Amino acid sequence: MPSVFTWTVRVYYEDTDAGGIVYYANYLKFYERARTEWLRSLGIDQQTLRDQEGAIFVVRSASVDYLASARLDDEVRLTLNVEKLGRASVQFAQQAWRGDTLLSSADVKVGCVDAVTLRPRSLPDLAAAKMRAV
């Protein structure tokens, strides 16, 4: 799946630690927001998916490398690429950039589960079709 999605976030004071740099765990929040915005760009609303299909997405695993620091007021460009689209999961390669500097990279696997039982289930057909189309 060659299409790369890009979304930009500004670093706020609340994102930083006592040293004035982005706290490492906040990159996971940035990556989560980028995945949500990617779904929105495809016309997939997560609340509607839950209400109408009974499906939600959960992070199954995340591996993150930290290479450089982002600081207060930096503009961070987040990229997302679907590495693998399975029957009930999506594997993402994500990166955080400040200009031409790679700050962080992550491999994130997201599973689709039933909203009530939290058991794995197939991706809803319409959502899967939209994901495949990019």
Side-chain angles (χ1 to χ4, degrees):
M1 304 217 161
S3 182
V4 175
F5 176 77
T6 301
W7 185 70
T8 303
V9 65
R10 176 76 61 186
V11 174
Y12 295 112
Y13 186 78
E14 68 185 17
D15 300 319
T16 63
D17 61 15
I21 61 173
V22 172
Y23 182 64
Y24 77 96
N26 286 335
Y27 285 93
L28 292 171
K29 292 180 181 182
F30 295 162
Y31 291 140
E32 175 74 28
R33 292 173 192 166
R35 290 191 306 275
T36 297
E37 295 303 325
W38 172 72
L39 288 170
R40 279 194 182 119
S41 78
L42 298 178
I44 300 170
D45 177 78
Q46 291 187 78
Q47 188 63 50
T48 301
L49 201 63
R50 178 190 172 103
D51 294 344
Q52 294 180 1
E53 299 281 345
I56 60 174
F57 295 112
V58 296
V59 173
R60 182 175 184 275
S61 64
S63 173
V64 184
D65 288 320
Y66 302 97
L67 306 164
S69 299
R71 298 181 181 275
L72 181 64
D73 290 327
D74 281 352
E75 186 175 90
V76 177
R77 185 174 86 266
L78 300 159
T79 62
L80 171 152
N81 187 48
V82 175
E83 294 287 302
K84 181 180 178 188
L85 182 59
R87 189 177 67 77
S89 65
V90 186
Q91 179 76 36
F92 295 96
Q94 294 187 254
Q95 296 179 325
W97 296 83
R98 182 187 54 240
D100 293 334
T101 303
L102 179 60
L103 304 172
S104 173
S105 63
D107 291 313
V108 181
K109 186 169 187 176
V110 174
C112 185
V113 299
D114 181 89
V116 176
T117 66
L118 301 180
R119 292 180 188 249
R121 58 154 292 169
S122 297
L123 293 165
D125 291 339
L126 183 58
K130 288 180 177 184
M131 291 177 189
R132 281 189 197 93
V134 292

